[in-house]
């Protein structure tokens, strides 16, 4: 199944029965959906997923990179098709609006940056959430993402 098939499936799977939903459930569902999207892009053939979400007042930015066999790969390196990567980025960025909606619905602060790390083999999930804007208006979230990517890359090559 390609990214589009996954995206349509994701919408259908969001029906929840006999369960009271709280803020944490909805917030976690969005995170899980983004990690699942990353795994779909790579056919789950990676060891670790690193997903970045930038949610600023006037822009959203989503991207991801991966570790496979000790090597850091960009989304383009991890995927087989450029159009698939473009669709992946479009869907992920669109999904960031859900964070804003859920936080507004539950009267919670909107996160500005979310860095998620998912270990595919162990299922371990780490998340770092920042609620303060750390990006000057003239900079893009892409710079923060690139710094994170470069840091992980340099740690693997030392």
């Amino acid at each position: 199944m390609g990214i589009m098939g996954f995206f349509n499936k994701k919408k259908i799977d969001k029906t929840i029965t006999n369960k009271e939903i709280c803020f944490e459930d909805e917030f976690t569902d969005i995170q899980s959906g983004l990690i699942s999207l990353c795994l779909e892009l790579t056919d789950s053939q990676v060891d670790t997923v690193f997903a970045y979400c930038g949610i600023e007042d006037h822009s959203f930015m989503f991207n991801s990179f991966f570790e496979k066999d000790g090597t850091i790969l960009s989304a383009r390196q991890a995927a087989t098709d450029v159009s698939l990567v473009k669709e992946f980025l479009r869907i992920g960025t669109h999904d960031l609006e859900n964070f804003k909606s859920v936080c507004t619905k539950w009267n919670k602060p909107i996160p500005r940056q979310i860095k998620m790390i998912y270990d595919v083999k162990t299922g371990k999930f780490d998340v770092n959430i920042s609620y303060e804007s750390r990006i000057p208006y003239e900079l893009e979230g892409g710079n923060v993402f690139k710094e994170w990517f470069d840091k992980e890359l340099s740690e693997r090559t030392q």
Side-chain angles (χ1 to χ4, degrees), residues 42-61:
T42 63
D43 291 326
S44 299
Q45 298 300 308
V46 294
D47 302 320
T48 309
V49 172
F50 300 82
Y52 174 81
C53 307
I55 305 168
E56 294 297 325
D57 292 332
H58 304 288
S59 66
F60 296 99
M61 192 270 180

Side-chain angles (χ1 to χ4, degrees), residues 9-19 21 29:
K9 180 179 179 290
K10 224 169 77 169
K11 294 283 188 199
I12 294 167
D13 287 347
K14 288 198 175 190
T15 58
I16 298 175
T17 57
N18 298 327
K19 180 179 176 187
I21 297 187
D29 283 349

Side-chain angles (χ1 to χ4, degrees), residues 19-64:
K19 180 179 176 187
E20 185 174 324
I21 297 187
C22 65
F23 169 75
E24 289 80 13
D25 291 335
E26 288 190 52
F27 198 86
T28 300
D29 283 349
I30 299 166
Q31 292 175 354
S32 296
L34 289 168
I35 294 297
S36 294
L37 183 66
C38 294
L39 293 171
E40 176 73 15
L41 176 72
T42 63
D43 291 326
S44 299
Q45 298 300 308
V46 294
D47 302 320
T48 309
V49 172
F50 300 82
Y52 174 81
C53 307
I55 305 168
E56 294 297 325
D57 292 332
H58 304 288
S59 66
F60 296 99
M61 192 270 180
F62 171 77
N63 208 335
S64 187

Side-chain angles (χ1 to χ4, degrees), residues 41 46 48-53 61-68 70-79 88-89 113-117 141-158:
L41 176 72
V46 294
T48 309
V49 172
F50 300 82
Y52 174 81
C53 307
M61 192 270 180
F62 171 77
N63 208 335
S64 187
F65 59 95
F66 308 89
E67 180 181 9
K68 181 175 183 175
T71 302
I72 296 294
L73 305 169
S74 67
R76 176 60 192 110
Q77 293 169 318
F88 161 77
L89 295 172
Q113 289 185 31
I114 303 171
K115 292 180 179 178
M116 299 179 282
I117 303 173
N143 293 332
V144 176
F145 172 78
K146 183 172 177 353
E147 286 175 6
W148 188 29
F149 177 88
D150 290 344
K151 178 181 177 263
E152 294 295 329
L153 183 63
S154 71
E155 288 178 5
R156 300 310 186 281
T157 56
Q158 291 180 356

